[in-house]
Amino acid sequence: MNLRIFDHEEDLNASGAGLIASLLLMKPKAVLGLATGSSPIGIYKHLIALYQKGRVCFEQASSFNLDEYVGLPVDHPESYRSRMNELLFHQIDIDLARTHVPNGNATDLAAECRAYEQSLETCGPIDLQILGIGHNGHIGFNEPGTDLSGRTHVVTLKEGTREANASFFRSLDQVPNQAITMGVGSILKSKQILLIARGEDKAKVIREAFLGPITTQCPASLLQCHPNVVVLLDRGAGRGIL
Ligand code: GLP
């Protein structure tokens, strides 16, 4: 694992965006694994700035998002599809037809999960998977102690996760109870993983995930089994390590 702690947000963002930009330079058809949440936003902004300066191009790239809420209309501002369109896709030259986000409104969710996994198999493996981390160690929406099924599946969100995400909605009861997520197995198939965490409130879980035992009680700890993980932390999130 390659772990780096930054004093300045801009340096963290530049480091993450630099990894992605250099991948695209070497491999224009790269498959990117993308995440929502607040942690990657600064990196996306930095990537957009690089794109505007002509230093990175997404024309031939494709992407797979980790997860999506179940039952939220696709044009709802907090659906992960809307968030990705707004935060990144509409500001770069990626072909929207090659951006994949699970369909949380599919009538047959199990079939949607199988189809998503099939597309991953066909287009993948993912070259670089971006991850945030939940306070309870979830990655994507793979919650602790639940069925950490290897493949894309439907999950019931823990109350703590719904509460953490409630700030994006008008009230807690508007936060969906379920989501589709890539499984830990799907995530671990990525060639490289880039996990980002910011803020002191993530210090404890970062310590557990990377210095603690490998356990399904902390899904992110399973990343210790992956040979190519880069972890970018701000000083707050790195506090439990240094
Ligand atoms: C949500 C997302 C995760 C994300 C996590 C952490 O639950 N489904 O993919 O990693 O939140 O979010 P943040 O980066 O805002 O702390």
Side-chain angles (χ1 to χ4, degrees):
M1 180 182 53
N2 175 355
L3 186 143
R4 299 187 62 192
I5 300 177
F6 295 85
D7 283 323
H8 304 290
E9 285 288 309
E10 241 342 279
D11 294 338
L12 190 162
N13 295 336
S15 172
L19 258 183
I20 299 163
S22 52
L23 166 67
L24 286 164
L25 209 61
M26 289 184 294
K27 189 175 178 186
K29 289 188 178 172
V31 183
L32 303 174
L34 300 176
T36 45
S38 47
S39 309
I41 292 177
I43 290 178
Y44 295 155
K45 283 189 179 153
H46 201 97
L47 271 177
I48 293 163
L50 290 178
Y51 163 71
Q52 287 167 345
K53 287 180 199 151
R55 287 170 52 193
V56 63
C57 167
F58 298 83
E59 220 176 355
Q60 300 180 64
S62 49
S63 70
F64 283 84
N65 262 77
L66 278 172
D67 44 17
E68 177 60 287
Y69 290 116
V70 165
L72 209 55
V74 71
D75 57 355
H76 186 290
E78 293 309 327
S79 80
Y80 286 168
R81 165 52 80 180
S82 295
R83 295 285 293 158
M84 289 309 301
N85 283 350
E86 182 200 327
L87 290 171
L88 186 65
F89 299 152
H90 285 172
Q91 303 195 58
I92 57 175
D93 61 345
I94 197 162
D95 178 354
L96 271 187
R98 279 202 291 267
T99 65
H100 304 83
V101 181
N103 175 9
N105 290 295
T107 40
D108 184 342
L109 291 172
E112 169 62 16
C113 292
R114 284 194 299 275
Y116 201 73
E117 199 65 36
Q118 187 54 53
S119 309
L120 271 168
E121 285 285 324
T122 311
C123 306
I126 287 172
D127 290 291
L128 176 71
Q129 173 67 58
I130 299 176
L131 293 177
I133 183 170
H135 291 103
N136 60 6
H138 73 235
I139 46 175
F141 268 132
N142 293 284
E143 297 280 29
T146 53
D147 170 22
L148 286 180
S149 121
R151 305 257 174 147
T152 303
H153 61 291
V154 176
V155 281
T156 299
L157 303 179
K158 298 265 186 204
E159 272 317 289
T161 299
R162 292 185 64 245
E163 282 160 18
N165 290 1
S167 58
F168 295 108
F169 291 81
R170 271 199 224 122
S171 63
L172 177 60
D173 52 293
Q174 295 197 345
V175 183
N177 290 304
Q178 287 190 309
I180 292 180
T181 184
M182 270 165 58
V184 173
S186 341
I187 293 170
L188 289 175
K189 279 189 202 161
S190 311
K191 291 188 191 164
Q192 185 173 37
I193 289 176
L194 170 61
L195 184 138
I196 304 133
R198 306 176 197 257
E200 231 171 278
D201 56 318
K202 293 279 173 76
K204 182 166 172 284
V205 74
I206 286 293
R207 188 177 168 77
E208 285 166 4
F210 295 108
L211 298 184
I214 299 174
T215 162
T216 54
Q217 292 308 316
C218 180
S221 68
L222 299 173
L223 298 174
Q224 291 181 39
C225 302
H226 193 284
N228 192 354
V229 179
V230 177
V231 181
L232 304 183
L233 306 174
D234 68 4
R235 186 59 62 189
R239 211 184 176 111
I241 292 197
L242 283 187

